Amino acid sequence: MIRKFTRREALIGVSSTLLLPACSQIGIAPDAASNAAFLHGIASGDPDATSVVIWTRISHSDNAADVGWRVATDSDFQNIVARGQYRTDASRDHTVKVVVDKLNPGQEYYYQFDVDGIHSPAGRTKTLPVGHVDQLVLAIATCSNYSFGYFNAYEVIANDPTIDLVVHLGDYIYEHGTDGYGSETGRRIGRNHAPAHEALTLADYRQRFAQYKTDAGSRVMHARHPLIVIWDDHESANNPWMGGAANHQDDEGDWEMRRAQSLQAFYEWLPVRDPRNGGTREEYWRHYKFGDLASLITLESRHTGRSKQIDYEDHVGGIKSKTDAQEFIDAVVGAPGRNLLSDKMKQFLADEISESVQANRRWRIIGNQSVMAKRIAPKLSDPFFKKLGNDLNSDARNTLDSLTLLGDLGLPTDLDSWNGYPKARENFYQICKDAGARDLLVLAGDSHSYWQNALYDDAGDSMGVELGATGITSPRSLLSLGQEGLSRFDAASAADNKEVVWTEGHYRGFIRLEIDHDGAHADYVTVSNVESRDYNVQVVHSVHIESRDGTLRYT
Ligand SMILES: [Fe+2]
């Protein structure tokens, strides 16, 4: 069923009866001075039961500043429960990050900053609940590329007051310059990346975060909902692994230095806790507990354990038959020792899944960067594709020919995702199985398509389900195949893959996931347009999930 909202309805929320008091003032700058001093808005996130991070950045002066902050239980700030001063300066790019503690579990709070007598917009946040929890509503977002469009989907999230938390699965920024990915659209709609060159240094990544945080949808979403965010590849550079990245060249300096600087900017510009207990910035994983209802465990699969991606370009010449293809899958893609997760990450996963099972929480949600389900390229035997090939230019025809070959040989797609690391995927499942969990609700970003997947390990045991979010703005790849070609390609993917129930790359948007003790309901919410601020909102697909026989099923 498709539910359709006009933009006006989207702006005031899914239903006006659901609006919280004073919600409309949350995130709105009180005056021009506020806008100048707090140009990049405010944000909160990385909550636990008794504390939450609040964040802002001071932009009206290059001097060091003493920034006041206050937290109240009401939006009028009559009942202030915490306050303090935070000194910021150029060493942290004038960002402000406070861990506000000694709060009550599961409570809504309001927060505000002031500097030089100027007040920031007010923000709303929430601590994690304990004990019995009836319901949890998450907005699942990923792949927000400034050059590809306006963050209208963020605005839709902002205006849904029933959302408890935004979970951003990475690609919060993109590193490319104005001659790279998205630049053509950026020029057309006036959203060119800043700096104009590819982000390489700390100053570059800081400037890129700053630009993204001027987007109106971003400002209002962050003010109204707390954030749980993980990084994917583009917060540093496309397709990284432990020794480099596909988009890091030798003349761009030292990879480890670049990665370290990109992550410094991430920690400065997002409401996340700094590393604790001797951990490094790269070791970024968490277990968020929602009383007796859910665990959300986040993964780090980019910078702490990942082996180099396999590139078909290096192998395709030698794969002439199905036998060659099988040998490639077994010996190259499936080579032992090809990792995605570090040993420390795996130990954390084992411990926390086990804790979650012991605590008898109803749901185990995995916040994960890339698509986990096993997917082979579909067979493009439909005569439509032959005809399409005749109509395409040579580049697009080459793309179609490559896809056709992969499909004929039954080879996997997207080797940067878990598909390129089948041993690591099996090991991940084994860790969860050993800890007593086959009921995983895996969330995935990165792909710029929507997915409804069912997960199985190599023994054929159901391991749960996977919901994949499309980009907030980033478009799917293979656009040269045209809309009908892509729709048929997606339909063929679902038909040829046991684990793919439904996929569709046509849309931009997010997933609204509502869970309670009886089941989970996911709406795939899309915006009709990202190249201007005019858009409609539609739910293009909905799924219902139940926990049954120790695993999860679509019903
Ligand atoms: Fe992306």
Side-chain angles (χ1 to χ4, degrees):
M1 182 190 75
I2 294 184
R3 278 209 323 262
K4 208 168 183 176
F5 304 112
T6 65
R7 180 178 181 229
R8 205 187 109 67
E9 284 165 336
L11 281 172
I12 61 168
V14 172
S15 159
S16 57
T17 58
L18 297 174
L19 273 181
L20 297 174
C23 181
S24 58
Q25 286 312 303
I26 298 301
I28 308 298
D31 50 39
S34 175
N35 246 332
F38 299 96
L39 181 64
H40 305 99
I42 57 171
S44 73
D46 205 355
D48 64 19
T50 57
S51 67
V52 65
V53 177
I54 58 172
W55 178 96
T56 192
R57 198 254 180 182
I58 306 304
S59 301
H60 69 312
S61 159
D62 290 333
N63 298 330
D66 289 310
V67 182
W69 59 268
R70 56 182 184 157
V71 174
T73 55
D74 62 309
S75 60
D76 295 328
F77 292 90
Q78 295 296 305
N79 183 32
I80 291 173
V81 294
R83 67 193 323 157
Q85 291 271 320
Y86 186 97
R87 188 164 179 82
T88 187
D89 58 26
S91 71
R92 53 174 304 119
D93 203 16
H94 307 281
T95 58
V96 174
K97 195 163 74 175
V98 180
V99 181
V100 184
D101 59 7
K102 301 190 180 73
L103 300 174
N104 292 327
Q107 188 168 334
E108 191 169 83
Y109 289 97
Y110 297 83
Y111 62 97
Q112 192 170 36
F113 300 92
D114 65 90
V115 65
D116 297 337
I118 305 165
H119 282 92
S120 77
R124 183 161 59 100
T125 191
K126 218 172 181 180
T127 48
L128 300 189
V130 297
H132 181 69
V133 177
D134 284 330
Q135 192 193 54
L136 173 67
V137 183
L138 303 175
I140 316 301
T142 182
C143 296
S144 38
N145 185 314
Y146 186 90
S147 289
F148 272 116
Y150 294 87
F151 300 152
N152 294 334
Y154 280 174
E155 187 174 60
V156 179
I157 294 169
N159 288 308
D160 181 347
T162 64
I163 287 169
D164 293 300
L165 262 163
V166 178
V167 179
H168 197 298
L169 297 172
D171 288 358
Y172 185 96
I173 61 162
Y174 282 72
E175 81 276 18
H176 310 93
T178 52
D179 56 352
Y181 182 60
S183 55
E184 207 178 297
T185 311
R187 269 193 296 282
R188 193 169 69 244
I189 65 173
R191 279 173 72 97
N192 297 312
H193 264 152
H197 57 269
E198 183 178 318
L200 297 172
T201 67
L202 177 59
D204 297 340
Y205 285 105
R206 283 170 166 174
Q207 191 180 349
R208 193 58 59 86
F209 270 105
Q211 178 182 37
Y212 276 54
K213 282 188 164 288
T214 58
D215 178 273
S218 171
R219 285 174 50 126
V220 72
M221 178 183 80
H222 286 307
R224 291 183 183 175
H225 302 301
L227 175 75
I228 288 173
V229 57
I230 60 176
W231 57 63
D232 191 24
D233 51 342
H234 291 290
E235 284 83 354
S236 295
N238 185 46
N239 291 4
W241 55 289
M242 289 302 288
N247 195 25
H248 182 77
Q249 321 313 327
D250 288 345
D251 63 358
E252 292 177 326
D254 178 63
W255 165 247
E256 288 193 9
M257 173 73 83
R258 180 179 181 184
R259 179 173 70 193
Q261 298 204 344
S262 71
L263 297 188
Q264 181 177 337
F266 180 94
Y267 279 88
E268 286 174 349
W269 276 84
L270 288 168
V272 299
R273 291 165 207 263
D274 290 325
R276 288 168 288 181
N277 306 324
T280 65
R281 285 192 177 121
E282 286 81 0
E283 293 167 351
Y284 179 49
W285 41 75
R286 299 277 192 273
H287 180 179
Y288 301 94
K289 299 168 188 171
F290 301 85
D292 65 350
L293 183 61
S295 282
L296 167 58
I297 296 171
T298 58
L299 304 184
E300 197 302 297
S301 66
R302 287 295 183 184
H303 299 307
T304 49
R306 181 182 277 255
S307 308
K308 191 175 185 182
Q309 292 83 351
I310 287 162
D311 189 343
Y312 271 122
E313 295 275 307
D314 301 335
H315 299 274
V316 78
I319 308 174
K320 307 273 188 221
S321 65
K322 287 207 166 180
T323 311
D324 294 342
Q326 195 55 51
E327 205 171 296
F328 169 74
I329 292 168
D330 293 342
V332 180
V333 184
R338 281 182 51 70
N339 277 326
L340 264 194
L341 308 180
S342 66
D343 288 345
K344 256 173 122 170
M345 167 81 259
K346 286 188 260 193
Q347 189 60 53
F348 177 83
L349 178 71
D351 293 345
E352 299 307 314
I353 288 276
S354 178
E355 191 279 340
S356 178
V357 170
Q358 299 299 319
N360 207 20
R361 283 188 206 97
R362 195 82 181 90
W363 299 91
R364 269 155 285 287
I365 305 170
I366 305 294
N368 150 66
Q369 283 84 11
S370 55
V371 177
M372 192 173 286
K374 300 182 178 89
R375 291 154 296 138
I376 55 165
K379 269 208 179 327
L380 303 181
S381 45
D382 185 332
F384 167 86
F385 287 104
K386 193 163 177 48
K387 185 178 176 318
L388 178 68
N390 296 334
D391 296 341
L392 294 173
N393 66 33
S394 63
D395 280 355
R397 195 163 53 242
N398 287 339
T399 302
L400 183 59
D401 288 347
S402 303
L403 288 170
T404 305
L405 181 65
L406 292 186
D408 288 345
L409 294 171
L411 285 166
T413 52
D414 192 8
L415 297 182
D416 174 63
S417 74
W418 290 84
N419 248 1
Y421 302 82
K423 286 274 194 309
R425 176 170 51 202
E426 195 60 15
N427 182 239
F428 171 83
Y429 289 148
Q430 194 60 51
I431 290 169
C432 296
K433 250 179 158 173
D434 289 347
R438 288 195 300 112
D439 56 353
L440 307 174
L441 201 175
V442 175
L443 306 175
D446 181 61
S447 75
H448 307 176
S449 283
Y450 278 135
W451 299 90
Q452 177 195 351
N453 297 332
L455 303 175
Y456 297 90
D457 69 4
D458 286 349
D461 288 337
S462 169
M463 294 303 297
V465 300
E466 178 176 48
L467 307 178
T470 191
I472 292 292
T473 57
S474 299
R476 72 173 306 166
S477 56
L478 310 175
L479 282 173
S480 57
L481 300 190
Q483 193 174 321
E484 193 185 350
L486 290 169
S487 286
R488 287 179 183 246
F489 181 84
D490 288 338
S493 284
D496 288 359
N497 284 290
K498 176 187 178 187
E499 300 198 8
V500 179
V501 181
W502 173 81
T503 183
E504 179 55 82
H506 178 60
Y507 302 103
R508 310 278 66 79
F510 66 98
I511 294 175
R512 184 182 181 282
L513 175 64
E514 192 175 306
I515 66 175
D516 60 31
H517 286 267
D518 295 327
H521 182 87
D523 283 333
Y524 294 69
V525 186
T526 74
V527 291
S528 58
N529 180 32
V530 296
E531 295 193 5
S532 80
R533 297 281 288 133
D534 289 320
Y535 59 92
N536 294 317
V537 183
Q538 288 188 355
V539 175
V540 291
H541 188 70
S542 294
V543 300
H544 195 77
I545 302 157
E546 280 177 14
S547 183
R548 205 186 287 166
D549 307 327
T551 187
L552 303 182
R553 311 268 183 205
Y554 294 108
T555 56

